[in-house]
């Protein structure tokens, strides 16, 4: 498998390892990976429309909606209609959610340190540069069906 799409295979493995490490660090806080992102974003700008969270986190609206509902059930945030636009839902941290932020930031810092463990500052900066380059390449790649990617011989 690694000889066909070795870079993609390694990225999938890295993402899986990163998510597992995040889960282990967030578990003592009672959180699952992804929930910390919503809390950190609200820590930066509390009381924002849920649609802004979707945009800021670059996630699917249904994913953000489920995450917000779960965090609300845990008592970490509230949702309420916006006084300015009754169609919009404002998401706000509760005191319990705000109190959890230092632990979330510490877990995120530990995850970042574990991810780059053993890299010099120079190599770490280079890794960040390369990852951004890969991200841009995927974002700029034209979306096309798999049939188009196989070439002319596949259509014969």
């Amino acid at each position: 498998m690694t000889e066909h799409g070795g870079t993609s295979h390694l990225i999938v493995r890295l993402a899986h390892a990163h998510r597992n490490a995040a889960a282990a660090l967030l578990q003592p806080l009672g959180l699952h990976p992804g929930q910390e992102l919503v809390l950190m974003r609200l820590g930066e700008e509390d009381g924002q429309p849920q649609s802004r969270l979707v945009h800021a986190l670059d996630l699917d609206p249904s994913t953000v909606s489920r995450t917000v509902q779960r965090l609300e059930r845990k008592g970490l945030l509230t949702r309420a209609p916006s006084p300015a636009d009754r169609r919009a839902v404002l998401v706000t941290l509760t005191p319990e959610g705000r109190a959890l932020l230092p632990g979330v930031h510490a877990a995120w810092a530990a995850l970042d340190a574990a991810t780059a463990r053993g890299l010099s500052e120079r190599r770490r900066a280079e890794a960040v540069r390369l990852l951004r380059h890969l991200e841009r390449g995927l974002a700029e790649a034209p979306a096309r069906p798999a049939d188009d990617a196989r070439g002319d011989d596949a259509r014969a």
Side-chain angles (χ1 to χ4, degrees):
M1 179 186 285
T2 56
E3 64 219 32
H4 301 288
T7 303
S8 294
H9 179 72
L10 287 171
I11 289 171
V12 168
R13 289 180 55 152
L14 175 62
H16 183 74
H18 191 267
R19 185 171 180 83
N20 286 343
L25 289 165
L26 293 169
Q27 189 273 330
L29 300 172
L31 298 174
H32 297 282
Q35 293 177 335
E36 83 283 10
L37 299 174
V38 171
L39 294 175
M40 288 190 299
R41 180 70 186 129
L42 290 171
E44 294 169 4
E45 181 188 347
D46 204 9
Q48 64 181 285
Q50 189 166 314
S51 59
R52 193 176 306 155
L53 281 172
V54 168
H55 184 265
L57 298 172
D58 194 24
L59 294 171
D60 184 73
S62 63
T63 300
V64 172
S65 181
R66 280 191 309 273
T67 301
V68 165
Q69 288 172 4
R70 288 178 181 138
L71 292 171
E72 185 178 36
R73 281 195 300 269
K74 291 181 180 203
L76 301 177
L77 54 81
T78 60
R79 293 179 298 160
S82 168
D85 179 358
R86 301 298 277 178
R87 296 169 298 173
V89 175
L90 296 181
V91 184
T92 306
L93 288 170
T94 62
E96 293 82 3
R98 185 158 300 285
L100 203 55
L101 284 175
V104 168
H105 289 294
W108 197 250
L111 180 61
D112 196 49
T115 301
R117 183 175 293 124
L119 294 179
S120 67
E121 284 302 315
R122 185 170 110 2
R123 300 271 306 200
R124 186 178 179 142
E126 179 67 7
V128 168
R129 187 189 68 74
L130 289 171
L131 288 168
R132 285 185 176 145
H133 177 80
L134 292 172
E135 180 185 30
R136 274 192 311 276
L138 288 172
E140 295 169 1
R144 59 183 198 212
D147 289 345
D148 289 349
R150 290 192 312 219
D152 293 333
D153 292 341
R155 291 187 203 110

Coordinates of all heavy atoms in Angstrom, one line a residue, residues 15-81:
A15 N -2.6 11.1 11.1 CA -3.9 11.7 11.6 C -4.5 10.7 12.6 O -5.0 11.2 13.6 CB -4.9 11.9 10.4
H16 N -4.4 9.4 12.4 CA -5.0 8.5 13.3 C -4.2 8.5 14.6 O -4.8 8.6 15.7 CB -4.9 7.1 12.7 CG -5.5 6.0 13.6 ND1 -6.8 5.8 13.8 CD2 -4.9 5.0 14.3 CE1 -7.0 4.8 14.6 NE2 -5.9 4.3 14.9
A17 N -2.9 8.6 14.6 CA -2.0 8.6 15.8 C -2.3 9.9 16.5 O -2.4 10.0 17.8 CB -0.6 8.5 15.4
H18 N -2.4 11.0 15.8 CA -2.7 12.3 16.4 C -4.0 12.3 17.1 O -4.1 12.8 18.3 CB -2.7 13.4 15.3 CG -2.7 14.8 15.8 ND1 -3.8 15.5 16.0 CD2 -1.6 15.6 16.2 CE1 -3.5 16.7 16.5 NE2 -2.2 16.8 16.6
R19 N -5.1 11.8 16.5 CA -6.4 11.7 17.1 C -6.3 10.8 18.4 O -6.9 11.2 19.4 CB -7.4 11.2 16.1 CG -8.8 11.2 16.7 CD -9.8 10.9 15.6 NE -11.2 10.9 16.1 CZ -11.9 12.0 16.3 NH1 -11.5 13.2 16.0 NH2 -13.1 11.9 16.8
N20 N -5.6 9.7 18.3 CA -5.5 8.9 19.5 C -4.8 9.6 20.7 O -5.2 9.5 21.8 CB -4.8 7.6 19.2 CG -5.6 6.6 18.4 OD1 -6.9 6.7 18.3 ND2 -5.0 5.6 17.7
A21 N -3.7 10.3 20.3 CA -3.0 11.1 21.4 C -3.9 12.2 21.9 O -3.9 12.4 23.2 CB -1.7 11.7 20.8
A22 N -4.7 12.8 21.1 CA -5.6 13.9 21.5 C -6.6 13.3 22.5 O -6.9 13.8 23.5 CB -6.3 14.6 20.3
A23 N -7.2 12.1 22.1 CA -8.2 11.5 22.9 C -7.7 11.2 24.3 O -8.3 11.4 25.3 CB -8.7 10.2 22.2
A24 N -6.4 10.7 24.4 CA -5.8 10.3 25.7 C -5.6 11.6 26.5 O -5.8 11.5 27.7 CB -4.5 9.6 25.4
L25 N -5.3 12.7 25.9 CA -5.0 13.9 26.7 C -6.3 14.6 27.1 O -6.4 15.3 28.1 CB -4.2 14.9 25.8 CG -2.7 14.4 25.7 CD1 -2.1 15.3 24.5 CD2 -1.9 14.6 27.0
L26 N -7.4 14.4 26.3 CA -8.6 15.1 26.5 C -9.5 14.3 27.5 O -10.4 14.9 28.1 CB -9.4 15.4 25.2 CG -8.7 16.5 24.3 CD1 -9.4 16.5 23.0 CD2 -8.7 17.8 25.0
Q27 N -9.3 13.0 27.5 CA -10.2 12.1 28.3 C -10.3 12.5 29.8 O -11.4 12.6 30.3 CB -9.7 10.7 28.2 CG -10.6 9.6 28.8 CD -10.3 9.4 30.2 OE1 -9.2 9.5 30.7 NE2 -11.4 9.1 31.0
P28 N -9.2 12.9 30.4 CA -9.3 13.3 31.8 C -10.2 14.6 32.0 O -10.7 14.8 33.1 CB -7.9 13.6 32.3 CG -7.0 12.8 31.3 CD -7.8 12.8 30.0
L29 N -10.3 15.4 30.9 CA -11.2 16.6 31.0 C -12.6 16.2 30.7 O -13.5 17.1 30.7 CB -10.7 17.6 30.0 CG -9.2 18.1 30.2 CD1 -8.8 19.0 29.1 CD2 -9.1 18.8 31.6
G30 N -12.9 15.0 30.3 CA -14.3 14.6 29.9 C -14.6 15.0 28.5 O -15.8 15.1 28.2
L31 N -13.6 15.2 27.7 CA -13.8 15.7 26.3 C -13.4 14.6 25.3 O -12.5 13.8 25.6 CB -13.1 17.0 26.0 CG -13.5 18.2 26.9 CD1 -12.6 19.3 26.6 CD2 -14.9 18.6 26.6
H32 N -13.9 14.7 24.1 CA -13.5 13.9 22.9 C -12.8 14.8 21.9 O -13.2 16.0 21.9 CB -14.7 13.2 22.3 CG -15.4 12.3 23.3 ND1 -14.9 11.0 23.5 CD2 -16.5 12.4 24.0 CE1 -15.6 10.4 24.4 NE2 -16.6 11.2 24.7
P33 N -12.0 14.3 21.1 CA -11.3 15.1 20.0 C -12.3 15.9 19.2 O -13.3 15.3 18.8 CB -10.5 14.1 19.2 CG -10.2 13.0 20.2 CD -11.5 12.9 21.0
G34 N -12.1 17.1 19.0 CA -12.9 18.0 18.3 C -13.7 18.9 19.2 O -14.0 20.1 18.8
Q35 N -14.1 18.4 20.3 CA -14.8 19.3 21.3 C -14.0 20.4 21.8 O -14.5 21.5 22.0 CB -15.4 18.4 22.4 CG -16.4 17.4 22.0 CD -16.9 16.6 23.1 OE1 -16.2 16.3 24.1 NE2 -18.2 16.1 23.0
E36 N -12.7 20.1 22.0 CA -11.8 21.2 22.5 C -11.7 22.3 21.5 O -11.5 23.5 21.9 CB -10.4 20.6 22.8 CG -9.4 20.4 21.6 CD -9.7 19.3 20.7 OE1 -10.8 18.6 20.8 OE2 -8.8 19.0 19.9
L37 N -11.8 22.1 20.2 CA -11.7 23.1 19.2 C -12.8 24.1 19.4 O -12.6 25.3 19.3 CB -11.7 22.5 17.8 CG -10.5 21.6 17.5 CD1 -10.7 21.0 16.1 CD2 -9.2 22.3 17.6
V38 N -14.0 23.6 19.6 CA -15.2 24.5 19.9 C -15.0 25.3 21.1 O -15.2 26.6 21.1 CB -16.5 23.7 19.9 CG1 -17.7 24.6 20.4 CG2 -16.8 23.0 18.6
L39 N -14.5 24.7 22.2 CA -14.3 25.4 23.4 C -13.2 26.5 23.3 O -13.4 27.6 23.7 CB -13.9 24.5 24.6 CG -15.0 23.5 25.0 CD1 -14.5 22.5 26.0 CD2 -16.3 24.2 25.5
M40 N -12.1 26.1 22.6 CA -11.0 27.1 22.4 C -11.5 28.3 21.5 O -11.2 29.5 21.8 CB -9.8 26.5 21.8 CG -9.1 25.6 22.7 SD -7.5 25.0 22.1 CE -7.9 24.1 20.7
R41 N -12.3 28.0 20.5 CA -12.8 29.1 19.6 C -13.7 30.0 20.4 O -13.7 31.2 20.3 CB -13.5 28.5 18.4 CG -14.1 29.5 17.5 CD -13.0 30.2 16.7 NE -13.6 31.3 15.9 CZ -13.3 32.5 15.9 NH1 -12.2 32.9 16.6 NH2 -13.9 33.4 15.2
L42 N -14.6 29.4 21.3 CA -15.4 30.3 22.1 C -14.6 31.0 23.2 O -15.0 32.1 23.6 CB -16.5 29.4 22.8 CG -17.6 28.9 21.8 CD1 -18.5 27.9 22.6 CD2 -18.4 30.0 21.2
G43 N -13.5 30.5 23.6 CA -12.6 31.2 24.5 C -12.0 32.4 23.9 O -11.8 33.4 24.5
E44 N -11.8 32.4 22.6 CA -11.3 33.5 21.8 C -12.4 34.5 21.5 O -12.2 35.7 21.5 CB -10.7 33.1 20.5 CG -9.5 32.2 20.6 CD -9.1 31.6 19.3 OE1 -9.7 31.8 18.3 OE2 -8.1 30.8 19.3
E45 N -13.6 34.1 21.2 CA -14.7 34.9 20.9 C -16.0 34.3 21.4 O -16.6 33.5 20.7 CB -14.8 35.2 19.4 CG -15.9 36.1 19.0 CD -16.1 36.2 17.5 OE1 -15.3 35.8 16.7 OE2 -17.2 36.7 17.1
D46 N -16.4 34.6 22.6 CA -17.6 34.0 23.2 C -18.9 34.6 22.7 O -18.8 35.8 22.2 CB -17.5 34.1 24.8 CG -18.3 33.1 25.5 OD1 -18.8 32.1 24.8 OD2 -18.5 33.2 26.7
G47 N -19.9 33.9 22.7 CA -21.2 34.4 22.3 C -21.3 34.6 20.8 O -22.0 35.6 20.4
Q48 N -20.8 33.7 20.1 CA -20.8 33.9 18.6 C -21.9 33.0 18.0 O -22.3 32.0 18.5 CB -19.4 33.6 18.0 CG -18.9 32.2 18.2 CD -17.6 32.1 17.5 OE1 -17.4 32.0 16.3 NE2 -16.5 32.0 18.4
P49 N -22.3 33.4 16.8 CA -23.3 32.5 16.1 C -22.7 31.2 15.8 O -21.5 31.1 15.5 CB -23.6 33.3 14.8 CG -23.2 34.7 15.1 CD -22.1 34.6 16.1
Q50 N -23.5 30.2 15.8 CA -23.1 28.8 15.5 C -22.5 28.8 14.1 O -21.6 28.1 13.8 CB -24.2 27.8 15.7 CG -23.8 26.4 15.6 CD -24.8 25.4 16.1 OE1 -25.4 25.7 17.2 NE2 -25.1 24.4 15.4
S51 N -23.1 29.5 13.2 CA -22.6 29.5 11.8 C -21.2 30.1 11.7 O -20.4 29.6 10.8 CB -23.6 30.4 10.9 OG -23.6 31.7 11.4
R52 N -20.8 31.0 12.6 CA -19.4 31.5 12.6 C -18.5 30.4 13.1 O -17.4 30.3 12.6 CB -19.3 32.7 13.5 CG -18.0 33.4 13.2 CD -17.8 34.7 14.0 NE -18.9 35.6 13.7 CZ -19.3 36.6 14.5 NH1 -18.7 36.8 15.7 NH2 -20.3 37.4 14.2
L53 N -18.9 29.6 14.0 CA -18.1 28.4 14.5 C -17.9 27.5 13.3 O -16.7 27.0 13.1 CB -18.8 27.7 15.6 CG -18.8 28.2 17.0 CD1 -19.7 27.4 17.9 CD2 -17.4 28.2 17.5
V54 N -18.9 27.2 12.5 CA -18.8 26.3 11.3 C -17.7 26.9 10.4 O -16.8 26.2 10.0 CB -20.1 26.2 10.6 CG1 -19.9 25.6 9.2 CG2 -21.1 25.4 11.4
H55 N -17.8 28.2 10.1 CA -16.8 28.8 9.2 C -15.4 28.8 9.8 O -14.4 28.5 9.2 CB -17.3 30.2 8.9 CG -16.4 30.9 7.9 ND1 -15.4 31.7 8.3 CD2 -16.4 30.8 6.5 CE1 -14.8 32.2 7.2 NE2 -15.4 31.6 6.1
A56 N -15.3 29.2 11.1 CA -14.0 29.4 11.7 C -13.3 28.0 11.8 O -12.0 27.9 11.7 CB -14.1 30.0 13.1
L57 N -14.0 27.0 12.1 CA -13.4 25.6 12.3 C -13.3 24.9 11.0 O -12.7 23.8 10.9 CB -14.2 24.8 13.3 CG -14.3 25.5 14.7 CD1 -15.2 24.7 15.6 CD2 -12.9 25.5 15.3
D58 N -14.0 25.4 9.9 CA -14.0 24.8 8.6 C -14.5 23.3 8.7 O -13.9 22.4 8.2 CB -12.6 24.8 8.0 CG -12.6 24.5 6.5 OD1 -13.7 24.6 5.9 OD2 -11.6 24.0 6.0
L59 N -15.6 23.2 9.4 CA -16.3 21.9 9.6 C -17.7 21.9 9.0 O -18.2 22.9 8.7 CB -16.3 21.5 11.1 CG -15.0 21.3 11.8 CD1 -15.3 21.2 13.3 CD2 -14.3 20.1 11.2
D60 N -18.2 20.7 8.8 CA -19.6 20.5 8.3 C -20.5 21.1 9.4 O -20.3 20.8 10.6 CB -19.8 19.1 8.0 CG -21.1 18.8 7.4 OD1 -21.3 19.1 6.3 OD2 -22.0 18.3 8.2
P61 N -21.6 21.8 8.9 CA -22.5 22.3 9.9 C -23.1 21.2 10.8 O -23.3 21.5 12.0 CB -23.6 23.0 9.0 CG -22.9 23.3 7.8 CD -21.9 22.2 7.6
S62 N -23.4 20.0 10.3 CA -24.0 19.0 11.1 C -23.0 18.5 12.2 O -23.4 18.2 13.3 CB -24.5 17.8 10.3 OG -23.4 17.2 9.6
T63 N -21.7 18.5 11.9 CA -20.7 18.1 12.8 C -20.6 19.1 14.0 O -20.6 18.7 15.2 CB -19.3 18.0 12.2 OG1 -19.4 17.0 11.1 CG2 -18.2 17.7 13.1
V64 N -20.6 20.4 13.6 CA -20.6 21.5 14.7 C -21.9 21.4 15.5 O -21.8 21.5 16.7 CB -20.4 22.8 14.0 CG1 -20.5 23.9 15.1 CG2 -19.0 22.9 13.4
S65 N -23.0 21.2 14.9 CA -24.3 21.1 15.6 C -24.3 20.0 16.6 O -24.6 20.2 17.8 CB -25.4 20.9 14.6 OG -26.6 20.9 15.3
R66 N -23.8 18.8 16.2 CA -23.7 17.7 17.1 C -22.8 17.9 18.3 O -23.1 17.6 19.4 CB -23.3 16.4 16.4 CG -24.5 15.7 15.6 CD -24.1 14.3 15.2 NE -22.8 14.3 14.4 CZ -22.7 14.5 13.1 NH1 -23.7 14.8 12.4 NH2 -21.5 14.4 12.6
T67 N -21.6 18.5 18.0 CA -20.6 18.8 19.0 C -21.2 19.8 20.0 O -21.0 19.7 21.2 CB -19.3 19.3 18.3 OG1 -18.8 18.3 17.4 CG2 -18.3 19.6 19.4
V68 N -21.8 20.9 19.5 CA -22.4 21.9 20.3 C -23.5 21.3 21.2 O -23.5 21.6 22.4 CB -22.9 23.1 19.5 CG1 -23.8 24.0 20.3 CG2 -21.8 23.9 18.9
Q69 N -24.3 20.4 20.7 CA -25.3 19.8 21.5 C -24.7 18.9 22.6 O -25.2 19.0 23.7 CB -26.2 18.9 20.6 CG -27.1 19.7 19.7 CD -27.9 18.8 18.7 OE1 -27.7 17.6 18.7 NE2 -28.6 19.4 17.8
R70 N -23.7 18.2 22.3 CA -23.0 17.4 23.3 C -22.4 18.2 24.4 O -22.5 17.9 25.6 CB -22.0 16.5 22.6 CG -22.6 15.4 21.8 CD -21.6 14.5 21.1 NE -22.3 13.5 20.4 CZ -22.0 13.1 19.2 NH1 -21.0 13.6 18.5 NH2 -22.7 12.2 18.5
L71 N -21.8 19.3 24.0 CA -21.1 20.2 25.0 C -22.2 20.9 25.8 O -22.0 21.2 27.0 CB -20.2 21.2 24.3 CG -18.9 20.6 23.7 CD1 -18.2 21.6 22.8 CD2 -18.0 20.0 24.8
E72 N -23.3 21.2 25.2 CA -24.4 21.8 26.0 C -25.0 20.8 27.0 O -25.2 21.2 28.2 CB -25.5 22.3 25.0 CG -26.7 23.0 25.7 CD -27.7 23.5 24.7 OE1 -28.0 22.8 23.8 OE2 -28.3 24.6 25.0
R73 N -25.1 19.6 26.6 CA -25.6 18.5 27.6 C -24.6 18.4 28.7 O -25.0 18.0 29.8 CB -25.8 17.2 26.9 CG -27.1 17.1 26.1 CD -27.5 15.7 25.7 NE -26.5 15.0 24.9 CZ -26.4 15.0 23.5 NH1 -27.4 15.7 22.9 NH2 -25.5 14.4 22.9
K74 N -23.3 18.6 28.5 CA -22.3 18.5 29.6 C -22.3 19.7 30.4 O -21.6 19.8 31.4 CB -20.9 18.3 29.0 CG -20.8 16.9 28.3 CD -19.3 16.8 27.8 CE -19.2 15.5 27.1 NZ -17.8 15.1 27.1
G75 N -23.1 20.8 30.0 CA -23.1 22.0 30.8 C -22.0 22.9 30.6 O -21.7 23.8 31.4
L76 N -21.3 22.8 29.4 CA -20.1 23.6 29.1 C -20.4 24.8 28.3 O -19.6 25.7 28.2 CB -19.0 22.7 28.5 CG -18.5 21.5 29.3 CD1 -17.5 20.7 28.5 CD2 -18.0 22.0 30.6
L77 N -21.5 24.8 27.6 CA -21.9 26.0 26.8 C -23.5 26.0 26.8 O -24.1 25.0 27.1 CB -21.3 25.9 25.5 CG -21.4 24.7 24.6 CD1 -22.8 24.7 23.8 CD2 -20.3 24.7 23.6
T78 N -24.0 27.1 26.3 CA -25.4 27.3 26.1 C -25.6 27.8 24.7 O -24.7 28.4 24.1 CB -26.0 28.3 27.1 OG1 -25.4 29.6 26.9 CG2 -25.9 27.9 28.5
R79 N -26.8 27.5 24.2 CA -27.3 28.1 22.9 C -28.5 28.9 23.1 O -29.4 28.5 23.9 CB -27.6 26.9 21.9 CG -26.4 26.1 21.5 CD -26.8 25.0 20.6 NE -27.7 24.1 21.2 CZ -28.5 23.2 20.6 NH1 -28.5 23.2 19.3 NH2 -29.3 22.4 21.3
A80 N -28.6 30.0 22.5 CA -29.8 30.8 22.6 C -30.0 31.6 21.3 O -29.0 31.9 20.6 CB -29.7 31.8 23.8
P81 N -31.3 31.9 21.0 CA -31.5 32.7 19.8 C -30.8 34.1 19.9 O -30.8 34.7 21.0 CB -33.0 32.9 19.7 CG -33.6 31.8 20.6 CD -32.5 31.6 21.6

